[in-house]
Amino acid sequence: MLDNLSHSALAGQLCGLVALVICVVAFASKNDDRLLVLLISANVAFALQFVFFESWTAAALTVLVIVRIVLARRYLGSKALMAGVLLASGIAAAFTWQSWVDMLPLAAMVLGTVGMFLMRGIAMRVFLGLAAFAWMLNNLLIGTIGGTLAEGLIVVTNIITIIRLVRARRKYPDVFEGVEEPGAITKDGQD
């Protein structure tokens, strides 16, 4: 099977496998800051993977994912910066668009951007899990084994981490009392 792959495709597969390892470690973390820092490293590997597979929209959007992670960590809740990232993503997609498959990285970018700028904790992981599902479908369609496995494991790891966070919240409600995620509805119905 590997004999039939070009050097570029082999390099892309290797980058996908590197991203796989980093992503599993990242999404297994219950610490948001550690999650986001590890995601930067994983996305460098993903961007290289997409370049090797000549999936230009996915590559461009993945580079913007790195920028988004840095901005979202520093400017949590900034709707103006979020809108800027979304606009830049739309422009990048327009210039690199090759086929309908490019809709998947664009959907992933939108979900991830909203999740990272406006949410934390469980809600952020739900949005990032949905984004990972879109990336997984993209990777499957372009033929990257490592990328597909990475995103599939991100989805599974996200689900497990969400369950762990829900259990921790139930077991230690005093720790979470008064801690609200951005966008969460409070007891009096206000957000």
Side-chain angles (χ1 to χ4, degrees):
M1 177 177 146
L2 294 177
D3 296 339
N4 297 335
L5 293 178
S6 68
H7 293 298
S8 181
L10 282 172
Q13 297 291 5
L14 179 61
C15 289
L17 291 172
V18 168
L20 164 67
V21 171
I22 297 169
C23 285
V24 169
V25 172
F27 282 100
S29 174
K30 291 191 273 184
N31 181 291
D32 290 345
D33 287 331
R34 179 183 163 121
L35 166 72
L36 297 176
V37 168
L38 287 169
L39 283 178
I40 292 170
S41 301
N43 279 292
V44 169
F46 279 130
L48 290 171
Q49 167 197 265
F50 292 130
V51 167
F52 286 123
F53 275 92
E54 297 181 7
S55 181
W56 304 117
T57 300
L61 292 177
T62 302
V63 170
L64 286 172
V65 164
I66 296 166
V67 172
R68 175 192 73 200
I69 292 168
V70 172
L71 291 174
R73 284 188 73 220
R74 184 170 173 119
Y75 303 103
L76 175 63
S78 174
K79 292 179 182 174
L81 275 176
M82 180 185 73
V85 170
L86 292 173
L87 178 62
S89 300
I91 292 168
F95 279 109
T96 58
W97 198 269
Q98 294 171 301
S99 74
W100 68 270
V101 173
D102 292 332
M103 184 59 73
L104 293 167
L106 186 58
M109 184 64 173
V110 170
L111 288 165
T113 300
V114 171
M116 282 195 175
F117 272 100
L118 300 183
M119 299 170 190
R120 283 290 173 257
I122 295 169
M124 179 179 71
R125 284 169 175 79
V126 168
F127 270 68
L128 294 179
L130 292 170
F133 184 72
W135 281 117
M136 182 181 73
L137 293 177
N138 176 74
N139 288 332
L140 187 64
L141 291 171
I142 67 169
T144 168
I145 298 165
T148 302
L149 290 173
E151 297 295 350
L153 284 173
I154 289 169
V155 170
V156 170
T157 306
N158 250 325
I159 291 168
I160 291 167
T161 304
I162 289 167
I163 292 168
R164 288 170 57 204
L165 288 168
V166 167
R167 286 181 180 164
R169 189 173 280 222
R170 285 185 187 150
K171 188 173 182 178
Y172 306 105
D174 296 341
V175 173
F176 292 97
E177 188 174 309
V179 176
E180 296 176 27
E181 296 178 11
I185 303 297
T186 59
K187 291 179 185 174
D188 62 1
Q190 302 297 314
D191 58 24

